[in-house]
């Protein structure tokens, strides 16, 4: 049910209804008032013109004339003398009209003026006015005019009906328009609701239209991009889980197979037994390291890991790691040189994690370089940044693979690192740590020539 559109429609309709009512009523009152005033003024004018004529010729013939003139009109004239005696009348006088036939005599001079006698058009059968017949200051008589109120009531009734229909029509048209418009406004909302429900169910396919140039269009665009990133997230998560289980399967198969053989007690040769146990130990170490790295990475990704922010000396960290790895380099007969690494360079960060960055990079450089090769660490610094390059003369990485090496569990050639024992998490961890330090890392490589990793960190 389109609840919003109904609510919106009802609220707007109520407002519109009140508006039309007020407008119609105001219009009605105004028109009635205007019309009555018009009728009364006209009647007063008529009486006035009669009074002027009679002031000049206050005789029988003129009175007769005036009464005759008024005869065919719906209005009625009565001419009184100073005593209140009726001198002439255009129509027969009704009993209800008697009380208005009072002469002006005896009133103060200020009362000698034209006034409406009766204006209650709703209850009285007529409205009435009176005008004095004045010859200079001398009052000769009074003209009383009557106009029936039936036609007035007819006009007002007609006006009422017209305005009522007008209001009703406005309201009907308004309601239709309002409900149409509010359903137009809420239609995209309903579509978005359906879209988000679909997304929640895991259907990311449907695209919302974003051609509206307003907040609703923006919202639709946000929902679309949310769906896209959720889709991406779910895809990478699925891939990642598949990779992890694949990665675990191989060592676990070894562990299971070799331990079963040992348990069967069929192997009597002590040397062979030792060989199997060594395999079991090595594979256990592999699994252990893999799980440790994965855990490390996941912790950094959900940002729940305590991340220290200290002033740390990059140079001493690099020297320390180089010394730690030197024995391995020596036994692989690979040269390890530090260029321009002398003065301290301070950055803000977590020393254990920065150590891990160089450990992983130097470990890779050694592993993917054959004996007789060379690895160099070059440090350059400016006012604000320090640049560290780790350059090796190893096997290199194919160009097409370069963007992929940062991915978790990604290895250029699976067979290549089965021998070297890597799991493809090292660079993912490096990238994450560098990002957390507001630094950057890039890679350049030429196959069979060598690889260079370049790091930037802001200097304190
Ligand atoms: N210096 C390098 N020279 C050539 N190839 C490299 C170099 N560094 C990394 N690679 C390639 O990139 C891949 C990803 O490196 P990464 O360090 O993430 O994983 P790994 O070394 O295979 O395993 P791990 O570091 O988790 O033990 C490696 O498998 C390797 O093929
Ligand atoms: Mg590595």
């Amino acid at each position: 049910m389109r609840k919003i559109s109904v609510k919106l429609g009802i609220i707007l309709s109520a407002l519109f209804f009140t508006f039309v009512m007020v407008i119609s009523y105001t219009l009605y009152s105004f028109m009635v008032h205007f019309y009555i005033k018009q009728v009364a003024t006209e009647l007063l004018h008529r009486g006035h013109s009669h009074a002027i004529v009679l002031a000049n010729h206050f005789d029988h013939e003129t009175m007769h004339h005036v009464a005759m003139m008024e005869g065919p009109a719906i209005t009625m004239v009565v001419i009184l003398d100073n005593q209140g005696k009726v001198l002439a009348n255009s129509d027969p006088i009704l009993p209800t009209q008697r009380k208005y036939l009072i002469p002006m005599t005896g009133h103060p001079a200020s009362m000698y003026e034209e006034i409406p006698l009766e204006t209650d058009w709703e209850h009285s059968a007529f409205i009435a006015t009176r005008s004095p017949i004045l010859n200079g200051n001398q009052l000769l008589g009074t003209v009383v005019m009557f106009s029936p109120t039936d036609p007035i009531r007819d006009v007002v009734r007609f006006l009422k009906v017209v305005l009522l229909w007008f209001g009703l029509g406005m309201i009907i048209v308004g309601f239709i328009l309002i409900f149409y418009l509010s359903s137009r406004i809420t239609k995209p909302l309903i579509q978005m609701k359906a879209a988000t429900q679909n997304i929640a169910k895991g259907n990311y396919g449907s695209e919302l239209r974003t051609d509206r140039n307003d907040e609703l269009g923006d919202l639709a665009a946000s929902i679309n991009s949310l769906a896209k990133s959720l889709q991406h997230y779910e895809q990478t998560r699925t891939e990642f889980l598949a990779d992890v289980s694949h990665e675990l399967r191989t060592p676990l198969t070894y562990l299971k197979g070799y331990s079963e053989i040992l348990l069967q007690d069929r192997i009597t040769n002590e040397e062979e037994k030792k060989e199997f146990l060594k395999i079991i130990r090595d594979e256990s170490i592999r699994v252990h390291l893999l799980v440790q790295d994965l855990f490390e990475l996941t912790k950094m990704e959900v940002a729940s890991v305590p991340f220290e922010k200290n002033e740390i000396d990059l140079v001493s960290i690099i020297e320390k790691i180089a010394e730690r790895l030197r024995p391995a380099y020596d036994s692989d007969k690979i040269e390890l040189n530090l260029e321009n690494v002398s003065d301290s360079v301070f950055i803000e960060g977590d020393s254990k994690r920065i150590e891990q960055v160089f450990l992983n990079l130097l470990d890779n450089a050694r592993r993917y370089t054959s004996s007789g090769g060379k690895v160099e660490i070059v440090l350059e610094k400016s006012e604000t940044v320090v640049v560290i390059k780790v350059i090796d003369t190893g096997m290199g990485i194919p160009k097409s693979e370069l963007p992929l090496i940062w991915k978790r569990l990604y290895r250029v050639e699976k067979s290549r690192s089965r021998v070297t024992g890597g799991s493809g998490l090292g660079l993912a961890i490096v990238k994450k740590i560098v990002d957390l330090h507001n630094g950057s890392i890039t890679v350049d490589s030429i196959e069979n020539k060598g690889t260079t990793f370049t790091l930037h960190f802001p200097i304190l």
Side-chain angles (χ1 to χ4, degrees), residues 293 363-365 367-368 392 395-397 405 410-413 416-417 421-428 451 453:
D293 280 355
D363 182 50
N364 281 350
R367 273 205 250 168
Y368 306 114
D392 68 50
M395 58 177 70
I397 304 164
I405 57 172
Y410 189 84
R411 294 184 302 244
V412 169
E413 232 181 273
R416 198 203 259 191
S417 48
S423 59
L425 286 170
L427 287 177
T451 305
F453 283 92

Side-chain angles (χ1 to χ4, degrees), residues 195-214:
T196 48
Q197 280 170 343
N198 269 337
I199 292 170
K201 279 185 211 142
N203 308 327
Y204 307 107
S206 59
E207 281 248 332
L208 287 165
R209 293 178 53 162
T210 55
D211 46 6
R212 284 177 77 111
N213 195 12
D214 57 15

Side-chain angles (χ1 to χ4, degrees), residues 306-322:
F307 179 73
E308 285 180 28
K309 275 195 171 174
N310 298 320
E311 201 172 299
I312 52 173
D313 179 11
L314 211 52
V315 168
S316 68
I317 288 176
I318 292 171
E319 279 171 343
K320 181 175 153 189
I321 297 302

Side-chain angles (χ1 to χ4, degrees), residues 8 56 96 108 133 137 149 264 315 335 345 390 424 449:
L8 203 65
N56 292 332
T96 46
I133 304 168
N137 255 346
T149 49
Q264 280 162 6
V315 168
E335 219 180 295
V345 177
V390 179
K449 274 269 166 63

Side-chain angles (χ1 to χ4, degrees), residues 54 57-68 79 85-88:
L54 288 167
H57 308 278
F58 200 60
D59 52 43
H60 220 76
E61 200 179 337
T62 315
M63 287 178 205
H64 184 67
H65 236 93
V66 168
M68 266 208 357
I79 300 164
K85 206 177 122 218
V86 175
L87 300 177

Side-chain angles (χ1 to χ4, degrees), residues 419-433:
V419 185
T420 43
S423 59
L425 286 170
L427 287 177
I429 292 173
V430 165
K431 177 101 173 86
K432 197 77 214 171
I433 295 174

